[in-house]
């Protein structure tokens, strides 16, 4: 029985929701002007830059991401087609759908705890479309 004890402990911890690897599993919702963000990405970066960033796809306004615990900068990315074609590629160009305060110069912050965490929700605003 003593040979199986470490495996049994790992199974019990995993079943109880504890992250054996020390990571957190975080889920949440992203809305734009009150509606779910259809398509995008979320990136969580350590404020102290001591761990690698973690990213996940946002689909129909929801995401789940595994990351290290700690204080994070949250970056939300989403793009849309422009009305003018790209002169080099000949197809519709893409532009950011969200302002820099949500991505390149993000003001969004979160504190991530070990284990499972839900409710990491953000309401963002869409940039006006360029003529």
């Amino acid at each position: 029985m003593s040979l199986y004890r470490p495996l049994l402990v790992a199974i019990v911890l995993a079943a109880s929701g504890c992250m054996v690897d020390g990571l957190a599993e975080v889920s949440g919702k992203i809305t734009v002007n009150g509606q779910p963000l259809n398509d995008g990405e979320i990136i969580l970066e350590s404020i102290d830059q001591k761990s690698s960033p973690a990213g996940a796809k946002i689909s129909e306004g929801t995401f789940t991401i595994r990351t290290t615990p700690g204080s994070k900068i949250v970056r939300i990315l989403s793009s849309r087609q422009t009305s003018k074609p790209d002169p080099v590629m000949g197809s519709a160009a893409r532009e950011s759908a969200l302002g820099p305060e949500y991505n390149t110069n993000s003001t969004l912050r979160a504190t991530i705890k070990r284990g499972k965490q839900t409710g990491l929700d953000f309401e963002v605003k869409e940039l006006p479309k360029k003529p």
Side-chain angles (χ1 to χ4, degrees):
M1 180 72 172
S2 64
L3 292 174
Y4 297 106
R5 180 167 264 153
L7 179 59
L8 181 60
V9 169
I11 290 170
V12 169
L13 287 174
S16 68
C18 294
M19 296 289 152
V20 176
D21 58 8
L23 295 178
E25 184 175 287
V26 182
S27 61
K29 296 178 183 177
I30 308 296
T31 54
V32 179
N33 304 330
Q35 300 298 315
L37 177 63
N38 288 331
D39 187 39
E41 293 180 10
I42 184 167
I43 300 169
L44 301 179
E45 295 178 7
S46 281
I47 289 177
D48 62 11
Q49 301 293 312
K50 290 186 178 182
S51 61
S52 297
K57 182 146 180 60
I58 300 166
S59 180
E60 297 179 18
T62 65
F63 68 90
T64 299
I65 189 170
R66 287 177 50 90
T67 187
T68 55
S71 297
K72 306 290 183 182
I73 298 169
V74 180
R75 299 187 192 280
I76 301 171
L77 309 164
S78 182
S79 66
R80 63 183 176 209
Q81 285 187 323
T82 63
S83 57
K84 296 181 181 180
D86 182 295
V88 175
M89 298 300 287
S91 61
R94 300 208 53 94
E95 65 183 5
S96 179
L98 307 175
E101 66 273 22
Y102 305 119
N103 42 66
T104 55
N105 298 323
S106 182
T107 58
L108 304 175
R109 302 289 183 268
T111 300
I112 307 301
K113 300 173 187 157
R114 264 180 203 224
K116 288 194 176 196
Q117 184 176 340
T118 59
L120 189 65
D121 303 337
F122 293 97
E123 168 72 26
V124 298
K125 294 184 180 175
E126 187 174 29
L127 284 173
K129 292 187 178 185
K130 296 177 183 174

